[in-house]
Amino acid sequence: MEVKNQSSFWLIMAAIFSGNFLAVLSITTINVTFPVVMDTFGANLSTVQWLMAGYLLATGIVAPIVGYMGDQLSYKRLFVMSLIGFVLFSALCASAWSIQSLIAFRIVQGIFGGMIIPITMTIIYQVFDRDRQAYAMGLWSLASMLAPVIGPTLGGWMVQYFGWKSIFMLNIPIGLFSIWIVAKFIPYYKLSEKKSFDVLGFLSVVISSSLLLLTFSHGSEWGWGSPKTIFLIVIGILLLAFFIGWELKTSSPLLHLKVFRFPRFRYSLILNCIVTVSMYAGTLLVPLYLQTVLKLSPMETGLIMLPGALVMAAAAPVIGRFYHVIGPFRLVIAGILVIVGATAAFSHITVKTSVYTIAVLQLIRCLGIALCNMPLTNAAMSAVSSEYSGHASSITNWARQGLASLSIGIFSALIVLRTSHYRAEGIASKPAATVMGIDDVFLVGTVIAIAAVPFTFLLRKKEKGETRGPAAYPEIMRILSLDIQGHSLEGGALFHLP
């Protein structure tokens, strides 16, 4: 049975879209405040950058426990609680009295923002019929991609005319609207019973995630071969290994790793990770080339990268609409090949490459990423039964967050290493040596993208039980089926927040 009333789909989707847009927007508007915040509080850049690093660290740490919390509280309650916390700490950020208090409030805001992203993804796979999940994920991806497109421009305009506090105050009306629409239109449901809290699993995953994400973010600054970096990585990996072993044997796990028993979930996650690494390679390398080699301003750099971002945002819902017609394999293999071709072309840029060439190559890469992102996520999530979709979403976001930090850290270190190598070989011009180093890293990115090709063929295999979805849970369908007993979405008592 599926949601038969078209308005129900769009009202629930509006709640999901607004929440996800808010969480991502808060990431992309903060960078433009750095100079003003530095002047306001007399802080240096290494301190102020924790407004971004601390937020991202918090989102990565909280991701593994969202599945457990959603199971225990219900995803509707957790969604509303996350939005309330996000709005509250946005207001506290705007009233911060020192850089230390601002960073502390921002990190806690990141905890609530980090919950919203996997929660919204999970709700899609628990309340929508399978035939609508791909399209819903396309709209979800649109929110994720639209926010980075308008975030820096909107943030710069607001800071210029209303001050840095307006960045946080903006979250309040959007957040309050999101709370109202979620409370009114997202149905209340639960798919699992109460279970004991896995304290040991919680501590091990939080500490290991913190150590690894922190080290990946600052490895190039500390030195990848330094005793501090090696020690933290080793401890983080050992704790992560302990967490995995413990979760597999405990009777009440914090994170259900049994989702890896679904082959399509495994393959799609591997591909998702490879695409994530490729995406962040471009996010780091293209602006670096434009600003350090071609000496363009941040505004000019943003304008050159804007067409690619717009293509990603525009393509997401279209791909979602035709997902079931084309299938994940054809979309993903096309996307991977586009990424490989564009990344390989980037590995041949020089100091004389025109900005138009860069803009076109970036647009092509973004199209390839768009062809992969939603199909891979949907292929993974649709292979997992609804009961475990919250845990699958947590694992997906956790892996992507960790790899984002790792890839940026390693690629940054490789650029420095290769640039120094070319300078030592007699390349006198620093821009020339830098672009040669960037070419080498793009070449590494090409090899990584090529490694994804064999995995795409595994997506052709139909997963047993893949069609399992909300129809297996009569309570959800009772709530969502608007033709049962004459209830309506807009006024029925079924939609209160228990």
Side-chain angles (χ1 to χ4, degrees):
M1 189 182 298
E2 65 182 65
V3 180
K4 295 183 178 179
N5 190 313
Q6 187 71 2
S7 64
S8 67
F9 173 85
W10 287 107
L11 288 169
I12 294 170
M13 200 62 232
I16 292 170
F17 186 97
S18 61
N20 193 39
F21 180 83
L22 179 69
V24 180
L25 182 68
S26 187
I27 300 173
T28 60
T29 55
I30 193 68
N31 283 352
V32 295
T33 69
F34 284 5
V36 181
V37 170
M38 289 167 65
D39 289 341
T40 302
F41 295 111
N44 56 37
L45 181 60
S46 62
T47 300
V48 171
Q49 65 92 23
W50 272 98
L51 293 174
M52 171 65 83
Y55 186 98
L56 293 175
L57 184 64
T59 62
I61 291 170
V62 78
I65 66 172
V66 172
Y68 171 84
M69 295 175 68
D71 288 347
Q72 300 309 294
L73 298 173
S74 90
Y75 283 92
K76 174 172 182 171
R77 283 178 176 169
L78 188 60
F79 197 0
V80 172
M81 289 170 58
S82 300
L83 288 168
I84 291 172
F86 190 88
V87 169
L88 173 62
F89 278 90
S90 294
L92 289 173
C93 284
S95 15
W97 54 89
S98 66
I99 188 62
Q100 290 78 17
S101 63
L102 178 58
I103 291 172
F105 293 145
R106 174 71 174 166
I107 289 173
V108 181
Q109 183 196 43
I111 292 174
F112 291 108
M115 290 183 185
I116 291 171
I117 296 172
I119 288 171
T120 51
M121 183 189 294
T122 300
I123 290 174
I124 286 173
Y125 291 93
Q126 290 188 344
V127 304
F128 290 140
D129 184 83
R130 183 174 178 270
D131 290 339
R132 291 197 172 189
Q133 289 170 1
Y135 184 51
M137 270 305 298
L139 296 173
W140 182 92
S141 299
L142 174 60
S144 301
M145 296 172 187
L146 193 60
V149 170
I150 69 172
T153 303
L154 176 64
W157 178 78
M158 293 190 69
V159 169
Q160 182 173 344
Y161 291 102
F162 303 105
W164 67 269
K165 294 185 179 183
S166 63
I167 292 293
F168 299 105
M169 298 301 292
L170 175 67
N171 295 332
I172 297 176
I174 299 176
L176 291 175
F177 169 76
S178 299
I179 291 168
W180 174 77
I181 199 170
V182 169
K184 186 170 178 63
F185 297 122
I186 296 285
Y188 173 82
Y189 64 92
K190 283 187 69 175
L191 300 182
S192 61
E193 300 298 324
K194 290 279 187 181
K195 65 178 183 179
S196 58
F197 183 65
D198 179 11
V199 177
L200 200 55
F202 172 76
L203 291 175
S204 58
V205 75
V206 166
I207 296 172
S208 63
S209 298
S210 301
L211 292 178
L212 291 174
L213 288 170
L214 185 65
T215 308
F216 294 159
S217 300
H218 295 276
S220 56
E221 176 187 335
W222 298 339
W224 288 102
S226 68
K228 179 181 181 179
T229 302
I230 294 172
F231 174 76
L232 291 178
I233 288 178
V234 170
I235 297 299
I237 291 174
L238 289 175
L239 282 173
L240 181 60
F242 170 81
F243 168 73
I244 293 171
W246 174 256
E247 294 302 287
L248 290 173
K249 69 180 182 181
T250 184
S251 58
S252 183
L254 179 74
L255 193 61
H256 280 289
L257 299 180
K258 63 178 66 177
V259 295
F260 284 102
R261 295 175 185 171
F262 298 95
R264 177 170 273 196
F265 176 80
R266 293 199 303 269
Y267 307 145
S268 299
L269 183 62
I270 292 171
L271 284 164
N272 220 328
C273 290
I274 293 172
V275 171
T276 297
V277 171
S278 180
M279 180 171 66
Y280 278 94
T283 301
L284 171 71
L285 297 174
V286 175
L288 183 67
Y289 169 80
L290 292 172
Q291 294 184 48
T292 62
V293 177
L294 299 187
K295 304 299 183 183
L296 300 183
S297 69
M299 177 63 75
E300 291 169 325
T301 299
L303 289 174
I304 291 168
M305 298 188 71
L306 181 62
L310 289 174
V311 164
M312 287 181 68
V318 177
I319 293 169
R321 173 67 75 183
F322 293 100
Y323 173 87
H324 289 297
V325 178
I326 302 172
F329 167 70
R330 291 176 182 174
L331 289 168
V332 174
I333 190 65
I336 293 293
L337 293 176
V338 169
I339 291 171
V340 168
T343 309
F346 263 122
S347 69
H348 292 87
I349 58 176
T350 68
V351 292
K352 295 183 179 180
T353 302
S354 71
V355 293
Y356 301 105
T357 301
I358 298 299
V360 170
L361 288 178
Q362 177 67 4
L363 186 151
I364 294 171
R365 281 188 86 256
C366 287
L367 178 60
I369 292 167
L371 287 168
C372 294
N373 262 345
M374 189 289 296
L376 284 174
T377 303
N378 190 68
M381 295 293 293
S382 62
V384 177
S385 59
S386 295
E387 181 183 0
Y388 299 116
S389 57
H391 295 266
S393 174
S394 294
I395 289 170
T396 300
N397 284 279
W398 184 32
R400 293 190 65 171
Q401 185 66 36
L403 277 170
S405 299
L406 175 62
S407 58
I408 288 175
I410 290 179
F411 288 146
S412 298
L414 280 175
I415 291 170
V416 173
L417 184 65
R418 296 305 295 168
T419 301
S420 300
H421 167 75
Y422 287 118
R423 293 298 297 274
E425 282 197 342
I427 305 297
S429 169
K430 186 176 180 180
T434 300
V435 77
M436 292 172 73
I438 290 173
D439 285 349
D440 288 353
V441 178
F442 267 123
L443 186 60
V444 172
T446 304
V447 173
I448 292 172
I450 290 172
V453 174
F455 290 100
T456 60
F457 290 89
L458 298 173
L459 295 176
R460 302 177 73 175
K461 186 177 178 181
K462 189 79 171 179
E463 187 81 5
K464 272 190 179 179
E466 186 184 346
T467 57
R468 285 180 296 180
Y473 301 92
E475 178 61 18
I476 296 179
M477 303 319 298
R478 180 183 71 81
I479 294 172
L480 291 177
S481 298
L482 307 182
D483 56 342
I484 294 179
Q485 299 177 357
H487 288 293
S488 69
L489 179 66
E490 289 79 9
L494 292 172
F495 290 85
H496 74 290
L497 178 63

